[in-house]
Amino acid sequence: MSALITATGLTKHFPAGGFLGRGRAVQAVTDVSLTVARGETLGLVGESGSGKSTVGRLLLGLLPPSAGHVTFDGADLATARAGDLRTLRRRMQLVFQDPYGSLDPRRSVGAQIGDALSIHALLPRADRAPRVAALLEQVGLAPDHAARYPHQFSGGQRQRIGIARALASGPDFLVADEPVSALDVSVQAQVLALLADLRARLGLAMLFISHDLPVVRHLADRVAVMYLGRIMEEGPVAAVFARPRHPYTQALLSAAPSLHPERRRTRILLQGEPPSPANPPSGCVFRTRCPLASSDCAHAAPPLQGAGHRVACFKAE
Amino acid sequence: MRRLPWTPIAAFALIVVIALLAPWLGLANPVSMDVPHRLAGPSAAHWLGQDEFGRDVFARLIWGARVSLSVAVAAAALACVVGTTLGVVGGFLRGIAEILALRSIDVLLCFPPLLLALLVVTLLGPGATTLIPVLALVYLPGFTRVAYAGVLTARSQDYVEAMRVLGAGKSRIMLRTILPNIGGPLLVQFSLAMAAAVVLESGLSFLGLGVVPPAPSWGLMIGAARATMTQAPLLLLWPCLALTATILVMNALCDGLRDAVDPHPAYRPTARRLLDALAPGLLPTPRAVLDLRGLTVEIDTPHGPIHPVRDVSLQVFPGETLAIVGESGSGKSVTSLAITGLLPGAARVISGAACLDGTDLLRLSEDRLRNLRGAAMAMVFQDPGSSLNPVHRIGDQIAEAIIAHRPMPRAQATSAALALLQRVGIPDPARRLRAFPHELSGGMRQRVMIAIAIANGPRLLIADEPTTALDVTIQAQVLDLLADLKRERGLALLFITHSLPVVAEIADRVAVMYAGEIVETGPTAEVFLNPRHPYTAALLRSAPVEDGPAPEGIAGVVPPPTALPPGCIFAPRCDRAAPVCTTTHPALEAAGEGRAVRCIRWNQP
Ligand SMILES: Nc1ncnc2c1ncn2[C@@H]1O[C@H](COP(=O)(O)OP(=O)(O)OP(=O)(O)O)[C@@H](O)[C@H]1O
Ligand code: SF4
Ligand code: SF4
Ligand SMILES: [Mg+2]
């Protein structure tokens, strides 16, 4: 499979707030390398503040990295010329988490979906309305919904509108940042099915960010697990879920509540809470909560290594 | 609070101290005249020279500061006390108090401040004693509006709600919870009013409407110096310099204070999700802690009354967890608010009974309910950040919760708070007692909320989405804690959630709500294994299971409470619906051991 998007050594530190920037920089993302192949879905899981959204925004070039680089279809986002960057932008899109905050309440749905078409001058004006209608149908809404305003739709319908807007420019890569976590479970499943269907029909590559492990299990081909800005483990979903090798992944999978508690993995209860990303532990960032940690783990950060199924832990079998 | 603006504070303090010490500084008498030396320039005896009557300018400058500042401080203080009282009372009591307080302020605001001051001074005659009430009147609306806006914001916060849940009365909430939260903006308003009052005082004195000569005042000095400007221009310079320096210092102070008291991130108001759901039951129950029967709630809306909760019955036994599960808008939260007597104004219970150990909560007076909340019945909300008061220390808030129901010495309450923090698993509890809520993580704040909830040994604990805002590894810790407490203290736990896996983890029994009704209830394991209502089954199929089939959604949407279908409310989305379902509204009927289901066709193939 050919890589569509590749991140190498991506690092993002947000300068500290406060007077004259005193305090420590937030190390939101550190040394993240990953690839997404054409038509492939990479799930990105991790707890709140682990840097998932920041990775998504770095891949889209919405944030400049502090170090490392992103190449999209062979072009380096950092060095691409303005004109090329516009073309690249068209080919990468974002689906937001909040179906309410992410649509402009004062403009019709059709106008917002049409934005991408006019910004990138993709179609003559006369052809835009039919294209918007086709997009709405593609996400399971009626063409005449174009004239309505966001408040006239339910949360699930708005999320469909957000997806239609992202698809308008004909992207090959979609970052979906928690696209269903604000939705009720019966609606979640519909939107997930829509995403899976679109991916198959349009050959979309996708970075699917979520904290819901079973959802990732169903939608993604591969999964990367983040903790405190670093990738701890990465591999094909089936392998990672069946045989998690990193102690954090094992704890995370075992902590997720299960519909069938009797079939759940034995629970590994992590002690304490994640440290602040402004002041991560030395060496392996997970060591303050790791049941296997030893003094070695404080000295150096374990590299993410392995073939196909990669783990960043000195003790991983 | 962030760093205080020490430089302007020191400069301002210096000005105040010099003015206060004026009688003891060995200054010349500011009103004794020396006409032969009128308009004399600076000399060893008169550092800044002498004015048009030969009075010592330096002495008049310092005595003038005394007059200007005391008028300004007194006026700002008066305006602050009266204005804040009006605003707090208006904002908290609403109704007629609100109309009176705000309308009178609106009338005041119609007059430009200078015009208002001129009007009153002309009517009452000049002099420092008139100036104070006049200036107070001018700055009063600012305080009222700041206080009123602050109270309205604070009222909608969960932590004010949490005080009500704890059983605090109105005046306590006003004084202990709301006032400290609007203290920052009021402080800033106070320094602004003071600075503006200094200017306005000088202006009025300059016009001859303020301080009466020969008393010294900067405004008077500027006015007099203007007349002799060509002969002694320096005389104009000194009072102007003093005025400018004072105003600059005060402005720096205002800015510094505003930055220092700016709301913390933890201030974020969270909209309360109102429409949620409730529980089932109908089991024979000798000793249920909570026995809810036939609860129906009505809410007035612009489209007419709606009934977001209809005929809901459920029981919770000691040492048992009952989960109410449902999607958003199913009526879960309205049910719990009705039980605790915290329904919003437009909502009311139109039928049903909710017995807590035999006492019907729905028929208790607000006073008696308040005594129960935080004692026999406690609540934990979804967002622990906004349920805690950001300006009080954790330890004080827990002690407060204890003392509200069990009067005891402060020290004893604090050691009880320490024991509670230890019990809920907060590391280093002695230090955390002194922490403010924003210094704790979300998981830790939720533990504090649980500590407060169990502080007075409740019989019933209502937890409304207590882990929804937490990460999975933290959620697992909190669920374990709740289960331990329930077991150890024999609590009846009413757990409200939208997450089926969480229900499976924690609940002994489950009540599934849909659009305001309980559609199925029974022991969790049996209901999940063998759901009898088509909605329960569909809901279970839509929850993603790691090693299960891909989740399926439920077609269609929940009907809005304004347009409920006539027969079974689930019929438009039901895959088993038959013609009879659209005409007959099914009742919740017993369906085997401890189970009940609201479906006409549950036992038909
Ligand atoms: N613009 C910013 N300025 C400063 N810090 C930031 C900024 N954006 C993110 N951060 C910090 O970077 C870290 C990673 O944030 P990020 O939003 O990527 O996490 P996440 O995994 O998406 O979390 P969640 O699950 O809560 O969405 C956090 O500590 C966050 O507070
Ligand atoms: S490297 Fe050490 S601390 Fe880090 S996960 Fe492995 S065992 Fe735990
Ligand atoms: S009564 Fe009919 S429509 Fe309602 S749930 Fe049962 S089968 Fe479905
Ligand atoms: Mg995020």
Side-chain angles (χ1 to χ4, degrees), chain B residues 518-588:
Chain B
I518 290 180
V519 295
E520 176 156 18
T521 178
T524 309
E526 289 173 35
V527 171
F528 280 19
L529 190 66
N530 180 16
R532 297 205 165 132
H533 195 282
Y535 174 66
T536 315
L539 201 58
L540 286 165
R541 281 197 303 270
S542 60
V545 179
E546 227 182 76
D547 46 2
E552 292 168 38
I554 306 177
V557 293
V558 181
T562 45
L564 294 175
C568 171
I569 43 169
F570 187 58
R573 303 173 76 189
C574 180
D575 53 11
R576 287 178 41 86
V580 58
C581 302
T582 56
T583 53
T584 311
H585 183 75
L588 190 62

Side-chain angles (χ1 to χ4, degrees), chain A residues 14 26 28 47-54 178 277:
Chain A
F14 291 103
V26 173
E47 296 182 88
S48 167
S50 58
K52 308 182 294 292
S53 300
T54 307
E178 307 263 12

Side-chain angles (χ1 to χ4, degrees), chain B residues 121 125-132 209-212:
Chain B
V121 177
T129 37
T130 337
L131 266 187
I132 294 175
L209 294 171
V211 176
V212 192

Side-chain angles (χ1 to χ4, degrees), chain B residues 194-548:
Chain B
M194 211 164 54
V198 169
V199 176
L200 194 53
E201 184 273 327
S202 300
L204 288 173
S205 299
F206 174 85
L207 293 174
L209 294 171
V211 176
V212 192
S217 134
W218 294 343
L220 277 179
M221 290 173 76
I222 297 174
R226 206 184 55 109
T228 59
M229 198 163 66
T230 44
Q231 295 138 283
L234 277 184
L235 286 188
L236 195 54
L237 180 66
W238 304 127
C240 288
L241 267 186
L243 190 59
T244 312
T246 309
I247 298 304
L248 283 181
V249 165
M250 285 182 153
N251 285 351
L253 185 69
C254 301
D255 287 349
L257 284 179
R258 182 175 15 222
D259 289 349
V261 301
D262 230 11
H264 280 284
Y267 256 128
R268 255 176 324 111
T270 28
R272 281 195 59 81
R273 295 145 313 104
L274 261 189
L275 297 183
D276 244 49
L278 148 45
L282 291 200
L283 317 181
T285 80
R287 339 134 269 128
V289 174
L290 176 70
D291 187 353
L292 182 67
R293 303 254 169 198
L295 177 72
T296 300
V297 175
E298 182 170 275
I299 299 186
D300 291 322
T301 73
H303 312 288
I306 57 166
H307 300 96
V309 164
R310 298 179 304 282
D311 190 24
V312 162
S313 302
L314 55 90
Q315 284 78 29
V316 198
F317 295 87
E320 177 193 63
T321 302
L322 172 72
I324 304 180
V325 67
E327 300 187 272
S328 57
S330 57
K332 306 185 291 292
S333 293
V334 171
T335 302
S336 77
L337 292 175
I339 295 171
T340 48
L342 294 171
L343 281 176
R348 62 193 172 278
V349 172
I350 55 173
S351 65
C355 293
L356 178 69
D357 283 327
T359 315
D360 187 353
L361 300 170
L362 303 182
R363 285 177 182 71
L364 282 189
S365 69
E366 176 57 28
D367 277 353
R368 296 206 37 216
L369 258 181
R370 193 184 300 148
N371 287 337
L372 284 178
R373 288 198 292 257
M377 152 171 91
M379 279 191 86
V380 177
F381 298 106
Q382 166 171 359
D383 184 346
S386 61
S387 301
L388 289 167
N389 189 328
V391 302
H392 289 309
R393 295 178 195 280
I394 295 300
D396 292 343
Q397 298 194 47
I398 304 179
E400 175 87 4
I402 299 175
I403 294 174
H405 293 280
R406 292 182 289 153
M408 63 172 72
R410 193 86 198 170
Q412 195 184 335
T414 305
S415 57
L418 181 68
L420 284 166
L421 282 190
Q422 215 146 20
R423 177 59 198 93
V424 297
I426 298 224
D428 198 0
R431 197 163 61 81
R432 303 283 191 213
L433 275 182
R434 308 197 33 80
F436 288 99
H438 72 268
E439 298 170 310
L440 303 182
S441 67
M444 224 134 40
R445 285 197 289 248
Q446 196 56 289
R447 288 176 193 266
V448 171
M449 287 311 297
I450 293 173
I452 292 177
I454 61 170
N456 296 306
R459 301 266 297 137
L460 172 69
L461 179 61
I462 301 180
D464 192 346
E465 304 266 10
T467 60
T468 305
L470 305 178
D471 279 323
V472 258
T473 61
I474 308 296
Q475 166 171 285
Q477 295 170 355
V478 171
L479 290 180
D480 272 18
L481 172 64
L482 283 172
D484 285 351
L485 288 172
K486 174 199 79 170
R487 217 173 300 121
E488 150 194 327
R489 313 202 164 194
L491 283 178
L493 180 57
L494 182 60
F495 194 101
I496 296 171
T497 180
H498 67 275
S499 162
L500 295 167
V502 167
V503 173
E505 294 284 341
I506 190 160
D508 303 306
R509 286 189 303 119
V510 61
V512 182
M513 281 191 81
Y514 180 74
E517 292 175 352
I518 290 180
V519 295
E520 176 156 18
T521 178
T524 309
E526 289 173 35
V527 171
F528 280 19
L529 190 66
N530 180 16
R532 297 205 165 132
H533 195 282
Y535 174 66
T536 315
L539 201 58
L540 286 165
R541 281 197 303 270
S542 60
V545 179
E546 227 182 76
D547 46 2

Side-chain angles (χ1 to χ4, degrees), chain A residues 1 33-34 56 66 81 84 158 195 212-213 218 264 278:
Chain A
M1 270 196 288
S33 301
L34 48 82
S66 313
R81 284 176 304 121
D84 299 341
R158 287 176 202 225
L195 282 174
D212 189 332
L213 298 162
H218 283 289
R264 198 196 43 217

